Amino acid sequence: PDLICPNRKHTFTLNFVCNFFFPLQGSEMHNTNLRSYTISAGLAFKLECSEMQNMTWRRVPDQRLESIRGINIRGNALWFLPANLSHSGSYSCLSRIGNETWKTIFEVSVENKTCPSLNRKDEVMSTKEITCLLPYIFEIDPQAQVTWRNNCHPLNVTNSKVFPINRSRDMIGLYTCFVSFTFEGQNYSAAQTTEVYSLSMGYVVTKPEMIYPKDETQKVKLGESYTLNCKALVGKNDNGETLIYWHKGLKLLDYNTSIVKEGERDYLLSVVYIPEVTEEYLYTNLTCVVQHPAGSAFGRVFLIPASQNERYYWIGLGLVALLILLCAVVFLFRVDLVLAYRAVSSSATKSSDGKWYDAYVSYLHGVQHGSTSAATFALDFLPAVLEDLYGYKLFISGRDELPGEAVHEVIADTMSRSRRLIIVLTSQSCVLPQTDTTKSILPDKLPISDHDVQLKATNTSSDQIWASYEQRVGLYDALVKQGLKVILVQVEDGVEEALLPESLRYIIRTKGILRWRQNASHWGNRSFLKHMRYQMPPAKRRKSQELMVI
């Protein structure tokens, strides 16, 4: 395109993926080019888009070109035959390929000058000759006539597409070739200007620099006017090729540009005036771009309502309140949530810890010290509910041990193969608290070694010794080794915490105690059953009678 578009003051090519300059809209990719041309009135001129199908030409913002005199569309090109002052403005060509959109915007300025502004530059010491860069004209009319001008003064050179320079510094200046040609039976003229220049020592071209904005968030009030300001430092030796503009997404904004000189440096100012701030300007990037062939820079402004902080405050306060409410709900219904999760999660019911039993049930049993409530709870209620209904496997003292087995080995081995220890407390658990016998069975101090958990020889009944030794071994494993979780269940009134050993009091303080009522209905023990299942490990139900119990 650089060779076939004459009379161009400067050309800037933008080809950015939309997530760099332009936001994504669904899954579409937007590619936008911006080019600028300065041409002379009375000369033929051609704008050419890329070689694509289904192109649409418009005059920005959305004017059809068929009604504009002197403008013709030929293929993918837009012809000015010839250009006049009324043709100044912006023109766009749009093409879609799949999910990609290609858009080129041409800014055209028509001047009332004989010779067009330069569109090409050659350094004199590296240039032997300059060429009239209007190849598309010669393709249309191979017999086109060529004349040359230096600084718009006629030269005695005709019908030559090249002009000799011979690397002479005396040849510095502007050289314009005029071509007279015939197109579709009409005679036209076209022209192209090249500047031949000389580089001085230390000559360097630098890219522009954005002064402001730089990714700013600004507060505005809906319905009021607002002004966006952009300032950029022009690079050294830019040769008038620096361009500055504003855009919002794919849309160019209306802006005014001026040049300000501060010291020895030039600055470009671009101002966008918004007469009324509407919702379309909020929460979107308004981007100022400064461009030069040596490089580019940009800055973004993000507009939010002036009351945004108050809005954030209430949103934050609502989120905090919602979080507190959520935590409270989770805390209050944690038992139900855990049980519900176990019900729907099959993985929660499987364990590979090598344990044989889900719980070891210890209670004081026997003829002398047995409790009707404890026996009913341990031998009737727990098997009917935990074993038959919910699929737990229990080892119940007084039911599952075999005759002739050594007491010590059975208890220690079975508890090591259990996941929980259920201790059933009755009023008998607190009897004779001051006797040496009771203290030896339920010590106030926690066991700290294997020697401390050995059964002491006393004249206490074997039933009470059995239950006491179960508790000592289980509590030692739970509190010292931390390998067994203890569940305390009170099945009758009269259990005084102060008369229990320190180990049990510690568990009551840290884990709590469950209370079961023997004469209550299933509904009356519903809360107890939920908390019992909550403290038990996950297990798969084996029967469908859970609704009857719940």
Side-chain angles (χ1 to χ4, degrees), residues 441-488:
I441 296 173
L442 299 176
D444 288 336
K445 295 183 179 180
L446 300 181
I448 59 174
S449 68
D450 291 336
H451 175 72
D452 293 331
V453 299
Q454 298 302 315
L455 186 63
K456 297 182 179 180
T458 67
N459 57 0
T460 309
S461 69
S462 61
D463 295 328
Q464 193 169 356
I465 291 174
W466 178 283
S468 170
Y469 184 68
E470 289 174 339
Q471 294 178 10
R472 289 169 63 91
V473 173
L475 294 175
Y476 174 72
D477 194 18
L479 301 178
V480 177
K481 294 184 178 180
Q482 296 183 350
L484 188 65
K485 295 183 179 180
V486 179
I487 303 174
L488 297 181

Side-chain angles (χ1 to χ4, degrees), residues 529-542:
L529 182 58
K530 279 201 312 182
H531 285 80
M532 171 63 80
R533 292 170 52 210
Y534 172 73
Q535 296 193 34
M536 288 289 289
K540 186 176 181 181
R541 298 182 181 182
R542 297 189 300 185

Side-chain angles (χ1 to χ4, degrees), residues 210-260:
M210 181 66 66
I211 305 301
Y212 59 79
K214 294 182 178 180
D215 292 338
E216 300 177 2
T217 299
Q218 299 179 8
K219 299 178 183 179
V220 294
K221 293 183 179 180
L222 289 173
E224 296 187 359
S225 61
Y226 196 75
T227 301
L228 298 172
N229 295 289
C230 181
K231 182 178 182 180
L233 174 64
V234 177
K236 294 181 179 179
N237 301 309
D238 82 309
N239 295 313
E241 295 180 305
T242 304
L243 180 68
I244 190 171
Y245 62 94
W246 283 88
H247 72 78
K248 180 174 75 72
L250 295 176
K251 178 182 178 182
L252 287 175
L253 300 178
D254 293 331
Y255 58 91
N256 293 319
T257 302
S258 60
I259 301 177
V260 176

